[in-house]
């Protein structure tokens, strides 16, 4: 049986992907230093190694112990990172150094295949939408820059015959496991849907809309949201394509191809939660585009993937998850 190493598997999308791998019959080894992970979301059927990627000797021992067949790499730090000078050294240490250690151990152990959790942040603020993989990469923050740098390193390793990879650039991950096994647990929380649901749970006084004068139907920004179960399926599909030799070096967007406005999310949340919580419109945030939507044509073509969850399903599963934490 193939044994898959899931780095960062105690996190939001990593734990969901681990569940999907187990459902598909793979053995799963979760590696996480628990900096941002949560013990409660580690699947019971998975093996767990509390290990830091920056410890290359310990990492090599994990590969030796478990006879790893392939890697899905989520352990690349928080999506929100301070730009302050004192924060950058530890961020690069945890991300670039740890990732380079992972690639080196894969090389030494002749583990060829990796699915890399990348991000739409590699595009920065694009000139047009829908966003395609060929568009310019202009990250506007350290998180997006490091992800894109990692993609470039993967491409170099591939050209040298060391690694085959699929980098999955996804947009706004959301929702929760349909069976309530894992969901979103960020501290601090910055994502719209959990903030809205926290407001419905009376943990916040109100939810803010940052501008309602955008060039959209209801005046609020439109963004692309994808359920974590759909993202998990895409990672497993990509892994299978690597094992079959059908993909060797690809970067692929994972988006809904549609997008939802801020107000539509709030309205759907009110409908599902049956709570009429307070909403306040405030000033725009600098740099927020009117619409950011991904083209998912390449994912459909190469992975035979498209999202199965709609907005109602996204919010229902997230609402059930957040209520279970009470």
């Amino acid at each position: 049986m193939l044994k898959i190493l899931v780095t960062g598997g105690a996190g939001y999308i990593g734990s969901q992907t681990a569940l999907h791998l187990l459902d598909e019959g793979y053995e799963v080894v979760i590696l996480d230093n628990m900096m941002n992970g949560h013990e409660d979301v580690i699947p019971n059927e998975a093996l767990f190694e509390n290990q830091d990627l920056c410890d290359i000797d310990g990492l090599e021992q994990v590969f030796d112990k478990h006879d790893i067949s392939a890697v899905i790499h989520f352990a690349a730090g928080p999506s929100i990172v301070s730009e302050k000078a004192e924060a950058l050294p530890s961020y690069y240490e945890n991300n670039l150094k740890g990732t380079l250690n992972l690639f080196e151990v894969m090389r030494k152990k002749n583990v060829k295949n990796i699915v890399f959790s990348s991000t739409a942040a590699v595009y920065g603020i694009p000139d047009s939408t829908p966003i395609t993989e060929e568009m310019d990469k202009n990250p506007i923050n350290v998180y997006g820059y490091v992800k894109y740098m990692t993609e470039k390193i993967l491409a170099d390793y591939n050209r040298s015959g060391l690694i085959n990879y699929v980098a999955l650039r996804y947009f706004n991950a959301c929702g929760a496991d349909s069976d309530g096994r894992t969901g979103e647990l960020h501290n601090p929380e910055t994502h719209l849907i959990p903030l809205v649901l926290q407001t419905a749970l009376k943990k916040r006084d109100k939810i803010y809309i940052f501008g309602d004068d955008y060039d959209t139907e209801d005046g609020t920004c439109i963004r692309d949201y994808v359920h974590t179960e759909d993202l998990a399926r895409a990672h497993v599909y990509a892994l299978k394509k690597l094992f079959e030799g059908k993909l060797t070096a690809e970067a692929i967007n994972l988006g809904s191809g549609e997008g939802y406005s801020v107000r539509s999310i709030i309205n759907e949340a009110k409908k599902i939660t049956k709570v009429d919580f307070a909403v306040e419109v405030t000033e725009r945030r600098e740099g927020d585009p009117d619409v950011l939507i991904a083209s998912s044509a390449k994912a459909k073509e190469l992975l035979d993937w498209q999202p199965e969850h709609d907005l109602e399903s996204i919010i229902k599963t997230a609402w059930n998850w957040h209520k279970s934490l009470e």
Side-chain angles (χ1 to χ4, degrees):
M1 186 181 295
L2 296 172
K3 191 174 286 188
I4 312 303
L5 181 69
V6 181
T7 72
Y12 179 35
I13 308 170
S15 60
Q16 185 72 71
T17 302
L19 287 168
H20 197 72
L21 286 165
L22 290 163
D23 291 343
E24 290 290 306
Y26 293 94
E27 287 192 60
V28 174
V29 179
I30 287 175
L31 182 148
D32 203 302
N33 67 3
M34 304 307 287
M35 181 185 299
N36 300 299
H38 301 273
E39 187 176 350
D40 292 345
V41 302
I42 298 172
N44 293 330
E45 303 88 347
L47 301 170
F48 175 62
E49 296 285 349
N50 191 331
Q51 178 65 50
D52 197 309
L53 292 176
C54 290
D55 176 6
I56 193 167
D57 293 333
L59 181 59
E60 190 168 343
Q61 290 172 17
V62 170
F63 273 72
D64 288 336
K65 177 180 177 181
H66 295 288
D67 190 22
I68 300 300
S69 302
V71 176
I72 302 182
H73 182 36
F74 292 98
S79 58
I80 303 299
V81 60
S82 171
E83 301 280 353
K84 293 180 180 177
E86 62 268 22
L88 291 179
S90 63
Y91 188 79
Y92 282 113
E93 173 87 5
N94 290 330
N95 292 283
L96 273 182
K97 181 181 178 181
T99 296
L100 287 171
N101 284 348
L102 176 63
F103 295 167
E104 173 60 14
V105 174
M106 288 178 65
R107 182 193 66 79
K108 289 178 68 175
K109 304 303 177 183
N110 198 34
V111 177
K112 289 281 190 179
N113 296 320
I114 182 168
V115 180
F116 174 54
S117 166
S118 192
T119 174
V122 301
Y123 298 107
I125 301 175
D127 294 330
S128 62
T129 193
I131 300 167
T132 64
E133 289 83 356
E134 295 75 25
M135 294 175 72
D136 290 342
K137 317 304 181 296
N138 295 303
I140 60 172
N141 56 36
V142 175
Y143 175 71
Y145 180 69
V146 169
K147 289 284 193 179
Y148 186 51
M149 195 184 306
T150 304
E151 287 191 24
K152 301 293 282 184
I153 294 168
L154 277 169
D156 286 340
Y157 270 72
N158 176 262
R159 282 189 289 270
S160 298
L162 300 174
I163 281 178
N164 298 320
Y165 73 93
V166 176
L168 297 175
R169 298 171 181 158
Y170 36 88
F171 288 63
N172 294 287
C174 52
D177 179 63
S178 296
D179 295 324
R181 296 170 293 180
T182 186
E184 198 159 8
L185 284 171
H186 294 127
N187 185 23
E189 186 55 73
T190 60
H191 296 163
L192 175 62
I193 290 174
L195 290 176
V196 168
L197 296 178
Q198 286 176 10
T199 309
L201 287 167
K202 310 300 183 185
K203 293 182 177 181
R204 297 175 180 272
D205 294 334
K206 65 184 71 171
I207 190 71
Y208 291 97
I209 295 176
F210 296 101
D212 63 353
D213 58 348
Y214 288 90
D215 186 17
T216 62
E217 187 173 341
D218 64 17
T220 64
C221 291
I222 291 176
R223 295 292 181 266
D224 210 328
Y225 295 86
V226 188
H227 197 287
T228 52
E229 288 184 335
D230 289 324
L231 294 175
R233 282 192 303 107
H235 285 78
V236 177
Y237 289 0
L239 186 67
K240 289 179 178 178
K241 297 292 185 182
L242 286 168
F243 279 137
E244 293 166 358
K246 294 180 179 178
L247 296 178
T248 57
E250 292 289 349
I252 301 173
N253 288 343
L254 298 179
S256 70
E258 297 181 13
Y260 305 103
S261 73
V262 173
R263 197 173 290 281
S264 70
I265 286 172
I266 291 171
N267 291 340
E268 186 69 21
K270 286 187 174 185
K271 176 184 171 184
I272 288 169
T273 65
K274 297 181 172 57
V275 179
D276 187 20
F277 49 83
V279 180
E280 181 176 320
V281 177
T282 186
E283 294 181 358
R284 287 187 180 205
R285 294 180 299 195
E286 185 178 353
D288 265 351
D290 299 65
V291 180
L292 287 178
I293 296 175
S295 167
S296 57
K298 190 173 182 180
K300 291 177 183 177
E301 176 189 356
L302 298 184
L303 301 180
D304 194 26
W305 175 91
Q306 58 185 7
E308 296 177 354
H309 291 269
D310 59 11
L311 182 59
E312 180 182 10
S313 174
I314 286 168
I315 294 180
K316 275 186 176 179
T317 56
W319 177 236
N320 292 335
W321 168 254
H322 282 281
K323 286 193 297 181
S324 75
L325 301 178
E326 293 297 290

